[in-house]
Amino acid sequence: MPGGRLTQQERQQIALGLADGLAYAEIARRLDRPTSTITREVMRNGGPTAYRADLAHRATERRAHRRKPSAPRERQASEQPYGRDAEAVREFEEVYAVAMMASGMPLMMGRVLACLTIADSGSLTAQELAQRLQVSPASISKAIAFLDSQGMVRRERDERRRERYIVDDEIWYQAMMVSVRSTAQLVETTRQGVDVLGAGTPAAARLEGVARFLDFVSEGMARAAEQARDVLRTSSGPQGAADPKPDRG
């Protein structure tokens, strides 16, 4: 399997594969590259619908010129617990962030959330995040503000009065409920439009259909989140047994 950075010719093959509707795994197989490499390359450079080989190649060259020596990464690599492969962890962190981006989250917010999620403590300070991700404190602050607004992180002060950002067993449940509440607000606003446009008119009928659809989906999300909540209550310690599946009856 070839290593190193993608060449311009490989990027052109990626662009052709995307144009032909190939899956990332198939493009990776044809290039003899890991699927994670192709996924990260595409999502870093516009996504599957906007990827352009020439722009992606120039952007990668610019990032390489700006990049500072990776001493923090090297120190971090020597400190990986539980005998983990440091490079595999680093690559998974990037791929996880890209997957979040593909689901609609801005990339920096996805990177911060991924970093917090894979930290065994589930808790890091702004300085620790900036060092791990090699970005500015301002970028961390902006990402945390977004994640906090979505219910995906919480803030606490540690014994040294530093603010720590935390993801825990309840974060994904709370984030789901934030989405449910925002959808409920959208339903209410949509139904106000029915009165404004006049019941029985084509536009009002369209809005009523949208409201019913969103209301149904929102109720289903809330019900599913409550039923699956116990899945998120992981046992403590690396050797803990997995929690039982929730009762679906």
Side-chain angles (χ1 to χ4, degrees):
M1 181 179 294
R5 295 175 182 164
L6 291 165
T7 66
Q8 190 162 16
Q9 290 73 25
E10 286 178 313
R11 290 190 167 94
Q12 290 170 349
Q13 291 300 310
I14 291 172
L16 290 173
L18 293 172
D20 289 340
L22 299 181
Y24 294 151
E26 176 60 20
I27 296 173
R29 187 189 65 77
R30 295 185 181 192
L31 294 178
D32 196 19
R33 291 276 193 171
T35 301
S36 60
T37 298
I38 306 305
T39 303
R40 187 167 62 250
E41 165 70 14
V42 174
M43 298 310 299
R44 275 181 172 176
N45 295 284
T49 60
Y51 182 84
R52 287 184 55 187
D54 53 344
L55 295 180
H57 195 69
R58 287 200 292 270
T60 301
E61 289 181 336
R62 286 196 300 271
R63 285 194 294 266
H65 289 151
R66 290 198 306 264
R67 192 166 294 147
K68 297 178 181 179
S70 56
R73 283 287 190 190
E74 292 170 2
R75 287 195 296 271
Q76 183 180 339
S78 65
E79 297 170 359
Q80 282 292 329
Y82 306 117
R84 294 172 180 146
D85 182 322
E87 182 61 22
V89 171
R90 185 194 65 79
E91 175 135 329
F92 171 74
E93 181 180 320
E94 293 188 9
V95 171
Y96 195 30
V98 167
M100 292 183 188
M101 178 183 170
S103 71
M105 184 179 294
L107 181 57
M108 181 52 63
M109 290 63 170
R111 292 188 69 198
V112 169
L113 185 58
C115 191
L116 285 167
T117 302
I118 71 170
D120 285 299
S121 64
S123 167
L124 295 168
T125 65
Q127 182 179 7
E128 289 167 340
L129 283 165
Q131 289 175 345
R132 289 184 182 222
L133 298 176
Q134 298 182 10
V135 298
S136 69
S139 296
I140 298 299
S141 178
K142 183 178 180 181
I144 289 295
F146 172 86
L147 293 170
D148 190 15
S149 72
Q150 300 300 307
M152 303 195 78
V153 298
R154 59 184 174 86
R155 306 168 189 249
E156 286 186 1
R157 294 281 179 181
D158 62 18
E159 66 281 358
R160 296 171 58 185
R161 304 302 299 164
R162 298 176 304 177
E163 188 170 69
R164 302 192 69 87
Y165 309 119
I166 300 169
V167 294
D168 57 25
D169 294 348
E170 288 285 298
I171 287 298
W172 286 101
Y173 168 78
Q174 296 296 343
M176 182 69 72
M177 297 311 294
V178 167
S179 178
V180 167
R181 288 191 291 271
S182 65
T183 302
Q185 291 175 351
L186 180 57
V187 169
E188 182 179 349
T189 302
T190 302
R191 287 197 164 125
Q192 291 173 6
V194 174
D195 294 333
V196 172
L197 295 170
T201 65
R206 185 180 304 115
L207 283 182
E208 180 60 33
V210 170
R212 289 180 179 177
F213 171 80
L214 293 176
D215 197 21
F216 184 85
V217 170
S218 179
E219 287 185 5
M221 287 172 58
R223 188 163 51 249
E226 288 291 349
Q227 291 173 345
R229 195 173 185 178
D230 284 345
V231 173
L232 294 171
R233 296 194 175 97
T234 57
S235 55
S236 61
Q239 303 299 325
D243 285 341
K245 295 181 179 179
D247 183 5
R248 298 182 183 275

